[in-house]
Coordinates of all heavy atoms in Angstrom, one line a residue:
M30 N -5.2 -4.4 -27.1 CA -5.0 -3.5 -25.9 C -5.5 -2.1 -26.3 O -5.5 -1.6 -27.4 CB -3.5 -3.4 -25.7 CG -2.9 -4.7 -25.2 SD -3.4 -5.3 -23.6 CE -2.2 -4.6 -22.6
I31 N -6.2 -1.5 -25.3 CA -6.7 -0.2 -25.4 C -5.9 0.8 -24.6 O -5.4 0.5 -23.4 CB -8.2 -0.2 -24.8 CG1 -9.0 -1.1 -25.6 CG2 -8.7 1.2 -24.8 CD1 -10.4 -1.4 -25.1
T32 N -5.6 2.0 -25.0 CA -4.9 3.0 -24.3 C -5.8 4.2 -24.1 O -6.3 4.7 -25.1 CB -3.6 3.4 -25.0 OG1 -2.8 2.3 -25.2 CG2 -2.8 4.4 -24.2
D33 N -5.9 4.7 -22.8 CA -6.6 5.9 -22.5 C -5.7 6.8 -21.7 O -4.6 6.3 -21.2 CB -7.8 5.5 -21.7 CG -9.0 5.0 -22.5 OD1 -9.1 5.3 -23.6 OD2 -9.7 4.2 -21.9
Y34 N -6.1 8.0 -21.6 CA -5.4 9.0 -20.8 C -6.3 9.6 -19.8 O -7.4 10.0 -20.1 CB -4.7 10.1 -21.6 CG -3.7 9.5 -22.5 CD1 -4.0 9.1 -23.8 CD2 -2.4 9.4 -22.1 CE1 -3.0 8.5 -24.6 CE2 -1.4 8.8 -22.9 CZ -1.7 8.4 -24.1 OH -0.7 7.9 -25.0
T35 N -5.9 9.6 -18.5 CA -6.7 10.2 -17.5 C -5.9 10.9 -16.4 O -4.7 11.1 -16.6 CB -7.6 9.0 -16.9 OG1 -8.5 9.6 -16.0 CG2 -6.7 8.1 -16.1
K36 N -6.6 11.3 -15.4 CA -5.9 12.1 -14.3 C -5.2 11.2 -13.3 O -5.7 10.1 -12.9 CB -7.1 12.8 -13.5 CG -6.7 13.9 -12.6 CD -8.0 14.5 -12.1 CE -7.7 15.8 -11.5 NZ -9.0 16.5 -11.1
C37 N -4.0 11.6 -13.0 CA -3.2 10.8 -12.1 C -3.5 11.1 -10.6 O -3.5 12.3 -10.2 CB -1.7 11.1 -12.3 SG -0.6 10.4 -11.0
P38 N -3.8 10.1 -9.8 CA -4.2 10.4 -8.4 C -3.1 11.0 -7.6 O -3.3 11.8 -6.7 CB -4.6 9.0 -7.9 CG -3.9 8.0 -8.8 CD -3.8 8.7 -10.1
K39 N -1.8 10.6 -7.9 CA -0.7 11.1 -7.1 C -0.4 12.6 -7.5 O -0.1 13.3 -6.6 CB 0.5 10.3 -7.4 CG 0.4 8.8 -7.1 CD 0.1 8.6 -5.7 CE -0.1 7.0 -5.4 NZ -0.5 6.8 -4.0
C40 N -0.6 13.0 -8.7 CA -0.4 14.4 -9.1 C -1.4 15.2 -8.5 O -1.1 16.3 -8.1 CB -0.3 14.5 -10.6 SG 1.2 14.0 -11.4
A41 N -2.7 14.7 -8.5 CA -3.7 15.6 -7.9 C -3.4 15.9 -6.5 O -3.6 17.0 -6.0 CB -5.1 14.8 -8.0
Q42 N -3.0 14.9 -5.7 CA -2.6 15.1 -4.3 C -1.4 16.0 -4.2 O -1.3 16.9 -3.3 CB -2.3 13.7 -3.6 CG -2.1 13.9 -2.2 CD -3.2 14.5 -1.4 OE1 -4.4 14.2 -1.7 NE2 -2.9 15.3 -0.4
N43 N -0.4 15.8 -5.1 CA 0.8 16.6 -5.1 C 0.5 18.1 -5.3 O 1.0 19.0 -4.6 CB 1.7 16.1 -6.3 CG 3.1 16.6 -6.1 OD1 3.5 17.2 -5.1 ND2 3.8 16.4 -7.2
I44 N -0.4 18.4 -6.2 CA -0.8 19.8 -6.4 C -1.5 20.5 -5.2 O -1.2 21.6 -4.8 CB -1.8 19.9 -7.7 CG1 -0.9 19.6 -8.9 CG2 -2.4 21.3 -7.7 CD1 -1.8 19.6 -10.2
I45 N -2.4 19.7 -4.5 CA -3.0 20.2 -3.3 C -2.0 20.5 -2.3 O -2.0 21.6 -1.6 CB -4.0 19.2 -2.8 CG1 -5.2 19.1 -3.8 CG2 -4.5 19.6 -1.4 CD1 -6.1 17.9 -3.5
E46 N -1.0 19.6 -2.1 CA 0.0 19.7 -1.1 C 0.9 21.0 -1.5 O 1.4 21.7 -0.6 CB 0.9 18.5 -1.0 CG 0.1 17.4 -0.3 CD 0.9 16.0 -0.3 OE1 2.0 16.0 -0.8 OE2 0.2 15.0 0.1
K47 N 1.3 21.1 -2.7 CA 2.1 22.2 -3.2 C 1.5 23.5 -3.0 O 2.1 24.5 -2.5 CB 2.5 22.0 -4.6 CG 3.7 21.2 -4.8 CD 4.2 21.2 -6.3 CE 5.4 20.3 -6.4 NZ 5.7 20.1 -7.8
E48 N 0.1 23.6 -3.3 CA -0.6 24.9 -3.1 C -0.6 25.2 -1.6 O -0.5 26.4 -1.3 CB -1.9 24.8 -3.7 CG -1.9 24.9 -5.2 CD -3.3 24.8 -5.9 OE1 -4.1 24.1 -5.5 OE2 -3.5 25.6 -6.9
H49 N -0.9 24.3 -0.8 CA -0.9 24.5 0.7 C 0.4 24.9 1.2 O 0.6 25.9 1.9 CB -1.4 23.2 1.4 CG -1.5 23.3 2.8 ND1 -2.5 24.1 3.4 CD2 -0.7 22.8 3.8 CE1 -2.3 24.1 4.7 NE2 -1.3 23.3 5.0
K50 N 1.5 24.2 0.7 CA 2.9 24.6 1.1 C 3.2 26.0 0.6 O 3.8 26.8 1.4 CB 3.8 23.6 0.5 CG 5.2 23.7 1.0 CD 6.1 22.6 0.3 CE 7.6 22.8 0.5 NZ 8.4 22.0 -0.3
L51 N 2.8 26.4 -0.6 CA 3.1 27.7 -1.1 C 2.4 28.8 -0.2 O 3.1 29.8 0.1 CB 2.6 27.8 -2.6 CG 2.7 29.1 -3.2 CD1 4.2 29.5 -3.4 CD2 2.0 29.1 -4.6
K52 N 1.2 28.6 0.2 CA 0.6 29.5 1.0 C 1.3 29.7 2.3 O 1.5 30.9 2.8 CB -0.9 29.1 1.3 CG -1.8 29.4 0.1 CD -3.2 28.9 0.4 CE -4.0 29.0 -0.9 NZ -5.3 28.3 -0.8
L53 N 1.7 28.6 3.0 CA 2.4 28.7 4.2 C 3.8 29.4 4.1 O 4.2 30.3 4.8 CB 2.7 27.3 4.8 CG 1.4 26.6 5.3 CD1 1.8 25.1 5.7 CD2 0.8 27.3 6.5
I54 N 4.5 29.0 3.0 CA 5.8 29.5 2.8 C 5.8 31.0 2.4 O 6.6 31.8 3.0 CB 6.6 28.7 1.6 CG1 7.0 27.4 2.1 CG2 7.8 29.5 1.1 CD1 7.5 26.5 1.0
L55 N 4.8 31.4 1.6 CA 4.7 32.7 1.2 C 4.4 33.7 2.4 O 4.8 34.8 2.5 CB 3.7 32.9 0.1 CG 4.1 32.4 -1.2 CD1 3.0 32.6 -2.3 CD2 5.4 32.9 -1.7
A56 N 3.6 33.1 3.3 CA 3.2 33.9 4.5 C 4.4 34.2 5.3 O 4.6 35.3 5.9 CB 2.1 33.1 5.3
Q57 N 5.4 33.2 5.4 CA 6.5 33.4 6.3 C 7.7 34.1 5.5 O 8.4 34.9 6.0 CB 7.0 32.1 6.7 CG 6.1 31.4 7.7 CD 6.5 30.0 8.1 OE1 7.3 29.4 7.4 NE2 5.9 29.4 9.0
A58 N 7.8 33.7 4.2 CA 9.0 34.2 3.4 C 8.9 35.7 3.1 O 10.0 36.3 3.1 CB 8.9 33.5 2.0
Y59 N 7.8 36.3 3.1 CA 7.7 37.7 2.9 C 8.5 38.5 3.9 O 9.1 39.5 3.7 CB 6.2 38.1 2.9 CG 6.1 39.6 2.5 CD1 6.2 39.9 1.1 CD2 5.8 40.6 3.4 CE1 6.1 41.2 0.7 CE2 5.6 41.9 3.0 CZ 5.8 42.2 1.6 OH 5.6 43.5 1.2
Q60 N 8.6 37.9 5.2 CA 9.3 38.6 6.3 C 10.8 38.1 6.3 O 11.6 38.9 6.9 CB 8.6 38.2 7.6 CG 7.2 38.8 7.6 CD 6.4 38.2 8.9 OE1 6.9 37.4 9.6 NE2 5.2 38.8 9.0
T61 N 11.0 36.9 5.8 CA 12.4 36.5 6.0 C 13.3 36.5 4.7 O 14.5 36.6 4.8 CB 12.4 35.0 6.5 OG1 11.7 34.2 5.5 CG2 11.7 34.8 7.8
M62 N 12.7 36.5 3.6 CA 13.5 36.6 2.3 C 13.7 38.0 1.8 O 12.8 38.9 2.2 CB 12.8 35.8 1.2 CG 12.9 34.3 1.3 SD 12.0 33.6 -0.2 CE 12.3 31.8 0.1
G63 N 14.7 38.2 1.1 CA 14.8 39.4 0.3 C 13.7 39.5 -0.7 O 13.2 38.5 -1.1
M64 N 13.4 40.7 -1.2 CA 12.2 40.8 -2.1 C 12.5 40.1 -3.4 O 11.6 39.4 -3.9 CB 12.0 42.3 -2.4 CG 10.8 42.6 -3.2 SD 9.2 41.8 -2.5 CE 8.9 42.9 -1.1
E65 N 13.7 40.2 -4.0 CA 14.0 39.5 -5.2 C 13.9 38.0 -5.1 O 13.3 37.3 -5.9 CB 15.4 39.8 -5.7 CG 15.4 41.1 -6.5 CD 16.8 41.4 -7.1 OE1 17.5 40.4 -7.4 OE2 17.1 42.6 -7.2
E66 N 14.5 37.4 -4.0 CA 14.4 36.0 -3.7 C 13.0 35.6 -3.5 O 12.6 34.5 -4.0 CB 15.3 35.8 -2.5 CG 15.5 34.3 -2.2 CD 16.2 34.0 -0.9 OE1 16.4 35.0 -0.1 OE2 16.5 32.8 -0.6
F67 N 12.2 36.4 -2.8 CA 10.8 36.0 -2.6 C 10.1 36.0 -3.8 O 9.3 35.0 -4.1 CB 10.2 37.1 -1.6 CG 8.7 36.9 -1.4 CD1 8.2 36.0 -0.6 CD2 7.9 37.8 -2.1 CE1 6.9 35.8 -0.5 CE2 6.5 37.7 -1.9 CZ 6.0 36.7 -1.1
I68 N 10.2 37.0 -4.7 CA 9.5 37.0 -6.0 C 9.9 35.8 -6.8 O 9.0 35.1 -7.4 CB 9.7 38.4 -6.7 CG1 8.9 39.5 -5.9 CG2 9.1 38.3 -8.1 CD1 9.3 40.9 -6.4
A69 N 11.1 35.5 -6.9 CA 11.6 34.4 -7.8 C 11.1 33.1 -7.3 O 10.6 32.2 -8.0 CB 13.2 34.4 -7.8
Y70 N 11.1 32.9 -6.0 CA 10.6 31.7 -5.3 C 9.1 31.5 -5.6 O 8.6 30.5 -6.0 CB 10.9 31.7 -3.9 CG 10.5 30.4 -3.2 CD1 11.5 29.3 -3.2 CD2 9.3 30.2 -2.6 CE1 11.1 28.1 -2.6 CE2 9.0 29.0 -2.0 CZ 9.9 28.0 -2.1 OH 9.6 26.7 -1.5
K71 N 8.4 32.6 -5.4 CA 6.9 32.6 -5.6 C 6.6 32.2 -7.1 O 5.7 31.3 -7.3 CB 6.3 33.9 -5.3 CG 4.8 34.1 -5.4 CD 4.4 35.5 -4.9 CE 2.9 35.6 -5.0 NZ 2.4 35.9 -6.3
E72 N 7.3 32.9 -8.0 CA 7.0 32.6 -9.5 C 7.3 31.2 -9.9 O 6.6 30.6 -10.6 CB 7.8 33.7 -10.3 CG 7.1 35.1 -10.2 CD 7.9 36.1 -11.0 OE1 9.0 35.8 -11.5 OE2 7.4 37.2 -11.1
N73 N 8.4 30.7 -9.3 CA 8.9 29.4 -9.6 C 7.9 28.4 -9.2 O 7.5 27.4 -9.9 CB 10.2 29.1 -9.0 CG 10.9 27.8 -9.4 OD1 10.7 27.4 -10.6 ND2 11.5 27.1 -8.5
M74 N 7.4 28.6 -8.0 CA 6.4 27.6 -7.4 C 5.1 27.7 -8.2 O 4.5 26.7 -8.5 CB 6.2 28.0 -5.9 CG 5.5 27.0 -5.1 SD 6.7 25.7 -4.5 CE 6.0 25.3 -3.0
E75 N 4.7 28.9 -8.5 CA 3.4 29.1 -9.3 C 3.5 28.5 -10.7 O 2.6 27.9 -11.2 CB 3.0 30.6 -9.3 CG 2.6 31.1 -7.9 CD 2.4 32.6 -7.9 OE1 2.8 33.3 -8.9 OE2 1.7 33.1 -7.0
D76 N 4.7 28.7 -11.3 CA 4.9 28.1 -12.6 C 4.8 26.6 -12.6 O 4.2 25.9 -13.5 CB 6.3 28.5 -13.2 CG 6.3 29.9 -13.7 OD1 5.2 30.6 -13.7 OD2 7.4 30.4 -13.9
E77 N 5.4 26.0 -11.6 CA 5.4 24.5 -11.5 C 4.0 24.0 -11.3 O 3.6 23.0 -11.9 CB 6.3 24.1 -10.3 CG 6.7 22.7 -10.3 CD 7.7 22.4 -9.2 OE1 8.6 23.1 -8.9 OE2 7.6 21.2 -8.6
I78 N 3.3 24.7 -10.4 CA 1.8 24.3 -10.2 C 1.0 24.5 -11.5 O 0.2 23.6 -11.8 CB 1.3 25.1 -9.0 CG1 1.9 24.6 -7.7 CG2 -0.3 24.9 -9.0 CD1 1.6 25.5 -6.5
Q79 N 1.2 25.5 -12.1 CA 0.5 25.8 -13.4 C 0.8 24.7 -14.4 O -0.1 24.2 -15.1 CB 0.8 27.2 -14.0 CG 0.0 27.6 -15.1 CD -1.5 27.6 -14.8 OE1 -2.0 27.9 -13.7 NE2 -2.3 27.1 -15.8
H80 N 2.1 24.4 -14.6 CA 2.6 23.3 -15.5 C 1.8 22.0 -15.2 O 1.3 21.3 -16.0 CB 4.1 23.1 -15.4 CG 4.6 22.0 -16.2 ND1 4.8 22.1 -17.6 CD2 5.0 20.7 -15.9 CE1 5.2 20.9 -18.0 NE2 5.4 20.1 -17.1
Q81 N 1.8 21.6 -13.9 CA 1.1 20.4 -13.5 C -0.4 20.5 -13.8 O -0.9 19.5 -14.2 CB 1.4 20.1 -12.0 CG 2.7 19.5 -11.7 CD 2.8 18.8 -10.4 OE1 1.9 19.0 -9.5 NE2 3.8 18.0 -10.3
K82 N -1.0 21.6 -13.5 CA -2.4 21.7 -13.8 C -2.8 21.6 -15.2 O -3.8 21.0 -15.6 CB -3.0 23.1 -13.2 CG -3.2 23.1 -11.7 CD -3.8 24.4 -11.3 CE -4.2 24.3 -9.8 NZ -4.8 25.6 -9.3
E83 N -1.9 22.1 -16.1 CA -2.1 21.9 -17.6 C -2.1 20.5 -18.0 O -2.8 20.1 -18.9 CB -1.1 22.8 -18.4 CG -1.4 24.2 -18.3 CD -0.2 25.1 -18.9 OE1 0.6 24.5 -19.7 OE2 -0.2 26.3 -18.6
Y84 N -1.1 19.7 -17.5 CA -0.9 18.4 -18.0 C -1.6 17.3 -17.2 O -1.8 16.2 -17.6 CB 0.6 18.0 -18.0 CG 1.3 18.8 -19.1 CD1 1.9 19.9 -18.9 CD2 1.2 18.3 -20.4 CE1 2.5 20.7 -19.9 CE2 1.8 19.0 -21.5 CZ 2.5 20.2 -21.2 OH 3.1 20.9 -22.2
E85 N -2.1 17.7 -15.9 CA -2.7 16.8 -15.0 C -3.9 16.0 -15.5 O -4.0 14.8 -15.3 CB -3.0 17.5 -13.7 CG -3.5 16.6 -12.6 CD -4.4 17.3 -11.6 OE1 -4.8 18.4 -11.9 OE2 -4.8 16.6 -10.7
P86 N -4.8 16.7 -16.2 CA -6.0 15.9 -16.6 C -5.8 14.7 -17.5 O -6.6 13.9 -17.7 CB -6.8 17.0 -17.4 CG -6.3 18.3 -16.9 CD -4.9 18.1 -16.6
S87 N -4.6 14.6 -18.2 CA -4.3 13.5 -19.1 C -2.9 13.0 -18.9 O -2.4 12.5 -19.9 CB -4.6 13.9 -20.5 OG -3.8 15.0 -20.9
S88 N -2.3 13.1 -17.8 CA -0.9 12.6 -17.6 C -0.8 11.1 -17.4 O 0.3 10.6 -17.6 CB -0.3 13.4 -16.5 OG -0.8 13.0 -15.2
L89 N -1.9 10.5 -17.0 CA -1.8 9.1 -16.7 C -2.2 8.2 -17.9 O -3.4 8.3 -18.3 CB -2.7 8.8 -15.5 CG -2.5 7.3 -14.9 CD1 -1.2 7.2 -14.1 CD2 -3.7 7.0 -14.1
S90 N -1.3 7.5 -18.5 CA -1.7 6.6 -19.6 C -2.1 5.3 -19.0 O -1.5 4.8 -18.1 CB -0.6 6.4 -20.6 OG 0.4 5.7 -20.0
E91 N -3.2 4.7 -19.5 CA -3.7 3.4 -19.1 C -3.8 2.5 -20.3 O -4.4 2.8 -21.3 CB -5.2 3.5 -18.5 CG -5.3 4.4 -17.3 CD -6.7 4.5 -16.8 OE1 -7.6 5.0 -17.6 OE2 -7.1 3.9 -15.8
C92 N -3.1 1.4 -20.2 CA -3.1 0.4 -21.3 C -3.7 -0.9 -20.7 O -3.2 -1.4 -19.7 CB -1.7 0.2 -21.7 SG -1.5 -0.8 -23.2
Y93 N -4.8 -1.4 -21.3 CA -5.4 -2.5 -20.8 C -6.1 -3.4 -21.8 O -6.4 -2.9 -22.9 CB -6.5 -2.1 -19.7 CG -7.5 -1.1 -20.2 CD1 -8.7 -1.5 -20.7 CD2 -7.2 0.3 -20.1 CE1 -9.6 -0.6 -21.2 CE2 -8.1 1.2 -20.6 CZ -9.3 0.8 -21.1 OH -10.2 1.7 -21.6
G94 N -6.3 -4.7 -21.4 CA -7.0 -5.6 -22.3 C -7.6 -6.7 -21.4 O -7.2 -6.9 -20.3
I95 N -8.7 -7.2 -21.9 CA -9.4 -8.3 -21.2 C -10.0 -9.2 -22.2 O -10.5 -8.8 -23.3 CB -10.5 -7.7 -20.2 CG1 -11.2 -8.8 -19.4 CG2 -11.5 -6.8 -21.0 CD1 -12.1 -8.3 -18.3
G96 N -9.9 -10.5 -21.9 CA -10.5 -11.5 -22.8 C -10.0 -12.9 -22.6 O -9.2 -13.2 -21.8
I97 N -10.6 -13.7 -23.5 CA -10.2 -15.2 -23.5 C -9.3 -15.4 -24.7 O -9.5 -15.0 -25.8 CB -11.4 -16.1 -23.6 CG1 -12.2 -16.0 -22.3 CG2 -11.0 -17.5 -23.9 CD1 -13.5 -16.7 -22.3
D98 N -8.2 -16.1 -24.4 CA -7.2 -16.5 -25.4 C -6.9 -18.0 -25.2 O -6.2 -18.4 -24.4 CB -5.9 -15.7 -25.2 CG -4.9 -16.0 -26.3 OD1 -5.2 -16.6 -27.3 OD2 -3.7 -15.6 -26.1
G99 N -7.5 -18.7 -26.1 CA -7.3 -20.2 -26.0 C -8.0 -20.7 -24.8 O -9.2 -20.4 -24.6
N100 N -7.3 -21.4 -23.9 CA -7.8 -21.9 -22.7 C -7.5 -21.0 -21.5 O -7.5 -21.5 -20.3 CB -7.3 -23.3 -22.4 CG -7.9 -24.3 -23.3 OD1 -9.1 -24.2 -23.8 ND2 -7.1 -25.3 -23.7
T101 N -7.2 -19.7 -21.7 CA -6.9 -18.8 -20.6 C -7.8 -17.6 -20.7 O -8.1 -17.1 -21.8 CB -5.5 -18.4 -20.5 OG1 -5.1 -17.8 -21.7 CG2 -4.5 -19.6 -20.3
F102 N -8.1 -17.1 -19.5 CA -8.8 -15.8 -19.4 C -7.7 -14.8 -18.8 O -7.1 -15.1 -17.9 CB -10.0 -15.9 -18.4 CG -10.6 -14.5 -18.1 CD1 -11.3 -13.9 -19.0 CD2 -10.4 -14.0 -16.8 CE1 -11.9 -12.6 -18.8 CE2 -11.0 -12.7 -16.6 CZ -11.7 -12.1 -17.5
K103 N -7.6 -13.7 -19.5 CA -6.6 -12.7 -19.1 C -7.2 -11.3 -18.9 O -8.0 -10.8 -19.6 CB -5.5 -12.6 -20.2 CG -4.8 -13.8 -20.5 CD -3.8 -13.6 -21.7 CE -3.1 -14.9 -22.0 NZ -2.2 -14.7 -23.2
I104 N -6.6 -10.7 -17.8 CA -6.8 -9.2 -17.6 C -5.5 -8.6 -17.5 O -4.6 -9.1 -16.7 CB -7.6 -9.0 -16.3 CG1 -9.0 -9.6 -16.3 CG2 -7.7 -7.4 -16.1 CD1 -9.7 -9.4 -15.0
S105 N -5.2 -7.6 -18.3 CA -3.9 -7.0 -18.3 C -4.1 -5.4 -18.2 O -4.8 -4.9 -19.0 CB -3.1 -7.3 -19.5 OG -1.9 -6.6 -19.6
Y106 N -3.5 -4.8 -17.2 CA -3.7 -3.4 -16.9 C -2.4 -2.8 -16.5 O -1.7 -3.3 -15.6 CB -4.8 -3.1 -15.9 CG -4.9 -1.7 -15.5 CD1 -5.8 -0.8 -16.2 CD2 -4.1 -1.0 -14.5 CE1 -6.0 0.5 -16.0 CE2 -4.3 0.3 -14.2 CZ -5.2 1.1 -15.0 OH -5.3 2.4 -14.7
K107 N -2.0 -1.6 -17.1 CA -0.8 -0.9 -16.7 C -1.1 0.6 -16.9 O -1.5 1.0 -17.9 CB 0.4 -1.3 -17.6 CG 1.6 -0.7 -17.0 CD 2.9 -1.2 -17.6 CE 4.1 -0.6 -16.9 NZ 5.4 -1.0 -17.5
A108 N -0.8 1.3 -15.8 CA -0.9 2.8 -15.8 C 0.4 3.4 -15.5 O 1.2 2.9 -14.7 CB -1.9 3.2 -14.8
K109 N 0.8 4.5 -16.2 CA 2.0 5.2 -15.9 C 1.8 6.7 -16.1 O 1.2 7.1 -17.1 CB 3.1 4.7 -16.8 CG 4.4 5.4 -16.4 CD 5.6 4.8 -17.1 CE 6.9 5.5 -16.5 NZ 8.1 4.9 -17.0
C110 N 2.2 7.5 -15.1 CA 2.1 8.9 -15.2 C 3.3 9.6 -15.8 O 4.5 9.3 -15.4 CB 1.9 9.5 -13.8 SG 1.7 11.3 -13.8
M111 N 3.2 10.4 -16.8 CA 4.3 11.0 -17.5 C 4.9 12.2 -16.6 O 6.0 12.7 -16.9 CB 4.0 11.5 -18.9 CG 3.0 12.6 -18.9 SD 2.7 13.1 -20.7 CE 1.3 12.2 -21.0
L112 N 4.1 12.7 -15.7 CA 4.6 13.8 -14.9 C 5.4 13.3 -13.6 O 6.4 13.8 -13.4 CB 3.4 14.7 -14.4 CG 2.8 15.6 -15.4 CD1 1.6 16.3 -14.8 CD2 3.7 16.6 -15.9
C113 N 4.8 12.4 -12.9 CA 5.4 12.0 -11.6 C 6.0 10.6 -11.6 O 6.8 10.2 -10.7 CB 4.5 12.2 -10.5 SG 3.2 10.9 -10.4
G114 N 5.8 9.8 -12.7 CA 6.4 8.5 -12.8 C 5.6 7.4 -12.0 O 6.0 6.3 -12.0
F115 N 4.5 7.8 -11.4 CA 3.6 6.8 -10.7 C 3.2 5.7 -11.7 O 2.9 6.0 -12.9 CB 2.4 7.5 -10.2 CG 1.3 6.5 -9.7 CD1 1.5 5.8 -8.6 CD2 0.1 6.4 -10.5 CE1 0.5 4.9 -8.2 CE2 -0.9 5.5 -10.1 CZ -0.7 4.8 -8.9
E116 N 3.3 4.4 -11.2 CA 3.0 3.3 -12.0 C 2.1 2.4 -11.2 O 2.2 2.2 -10.0 CB 4.2 2.4 -12.5 CG 5.0 3.2 -13.5 CD 6.2 2.3 -13.9 OE1 6.9 1.8 -13.0 OE2 6.5 2.2 -15.1
Y117 N 1.2 1.7 -12.0 CA 0.3 0.7 -11.3 C 0.0 -0.3 -12.4 O -0.3 0.0 -13.5 CB -1.0 1.3 -10.8 CG -1.8 0.3 -10.1 CD1 -1.6 -0.1 -8.8 CD2 -2.9 -0.3 -10.8 CE1 -2.4 -1.1 -8.2 CE2 -3.7 -1.3 -10.2 CZ -3.4 -1.7 -8.9 OH -4.2 -2.7 -8.3
S118 N 0.1 -1.6 -12.0 CA -0.3 -2.7 -12.9 C -1.0 -3.8 -12.2 O -0.9 -4.0 -11.0 CB 1.0 -3.2 -13.6 OG 1.8 -3.8 -12.7
Y119 N -1.8 -4.4 -13.0 CA -2.7 -5.5 -12.4 C -2.8 -6.5 -13.6 O -3.2 -6.2 -14.7 CB -4.0 -5.0 -12.0 CG -4.9 -6.0 -11.4 CD1 -4.8 -6.4 -10.1 CD2 -5.9 -6.6 -12.2 CE1 -5.6 -7.4 -9.5 CE2 -6.8 -7.6 -11.6 CZ -6.6 -8.0 -10.3 OH -7.4 -8.9 -9.7
N120 N -2.5 -7.8 -13.3 CA -2.6 -8.8 -14.3 C -3.3 -10.1 -13.7 O -3.0 -10.5 -12.6 CB -1.2 -9.2 -14.8 CG -0.6 -8.0 -15.6 OD1 -1.1 -7.7 -16.7 ND2 0.3 -7.4 -15.1
V121 N -4.1 -10.7 -14.5 CA -4.7 -12.0 -14.1 C -4.6 -12.9 -15.3 O -4.9 -12.5 -16.4 CB -6.2 -11.8 -13.7 CG1 -6.8 -13.2 -13.6 CG2 -6.3 -11.0 -12.5
V122 N -4.2 -14.1 -15.1 CA -4.2 -15.2 -16.1 C -4.8 -16.5 -15.5 O -4.2 -16.9 -14.5 CB -2.8 -15.5 -16.7 CG1 -2.9 -16.6 -17.7 CG2 -2.2 -14.2 -17.3
K123 N -5.9 -16.9 -16.0 CA -6.6 -18.1 -15.3 C -6.9 -19.1 -16.4 O -7.4 -18.8 -17.5 CB -7.8 -17.7 -14.6 CG -7.6 -17.0 -13.3 CD -8.9 -17.0 -12.5 CE -8.6 -16.6 -11.1 NZ -9.7 -17.0 -10.2
D124 N -6.6 -20.4 -16.1 CA -7.0 -21.4 -17.0 C -8.5 -21.6 -16.9 O -9.1 -21.5 -15.8 CB -6.3 -22.8 -16.6 CG -4.9 -22.7 -16.9 OD1 -4.4 -22.0 -17.8 OD2 -4.1 -23.4 -16.2
I125 N -9.2 -21.8 -18.0 CA -10.6 -22.1 -18.0 C -11.0 -23.4 -18.6 O -10.2 -24.0 -19.3 CB -11.4 -20.9 -18.7 CG1 -10.9 -20.7 -20.2 CG2 -11.2 -19.6 -18.0 CD1 -11.6 -19.7 -21.0
Ligands
ZN2 ZN1 1.4 11.7 -11.6

């Protein structure tokens, strides 16, 4: 089995959505929140996005193998993201 690390497709989408949400919220929040609350909210959101950006390029572990074992052909693949928990797996076992 081989293990690689790559970018999680769900986290990439999550970051885009969070950045978009942040822009909308900040545009409105400046008028509705108190200044301290606004600054804390903005910093918290920016920290979370920064944290995700730092780990995003390698948050998805991929473990896979392919080959013939006796009279069977096997493909085994499993991916799991350490940031968001996204999982994907694919397995094939065929008699040959
Ligand atoms: Zn993820």
Side-chain angles (χ1 to χ4, degrees):
M30 296 293 266
I31 298 167
T32 302
D33 285 330
Y34 294 90
T35 190
K36 194 175 195 170
C37 170
K39 303 299 179 187
C40 282
Q42 185 58 37
N43 194 11
I44 287 174
I45 291 168
E46 287 170 7
K47 274 188 181 167
E48 285 183 318
H49 182 69
K50 188 178 168 193
L51 178 64
K52 284 178 188 169
L53 290 175
I54 287 172
L55 290 180
Q57 295 172 347
Y59 189 73
Q60 297 171 354
T61 58
M62 282 182 179
M64 187 54 75
E65 277 184 31
E66 188 185 7
F67 172 76
I68 290 170
Y70 187 85
K71 181 176 183 284
E72 286 177 353
N73 187 35
M74 197 81 148
E75 287 172 345
D76 285 351
E77 198 175 320
I78 288 170
Q79 188 58 39
H80 175 77
Q81 280 202 340
K82 280 185 171 175
E83 285 172 18
Y84 289 97
E85 187 206 7
S87 60
S88 68
L89 188 77
S90 69
E91 296 179 295
C92 187
Y93 53 92
I95 183 170
I97 290 175
D98 182 16
N100 290 325
T101 56
F102 172 71
K103 295 178 182 177
I104 299 173
S105 176
Y106 176 89
K107 185 170 185 182
K109 184 168 185 175
C110 178
M111 70 177 92
L112 284 178
C113 74
F115 167 70
E116 287 183 314
Y117 181 79
S118 64
Y119 182 81
N120 292 290
V121 171
V122 178
K123 285 196 167 198
D124 291 333
I125 53 172

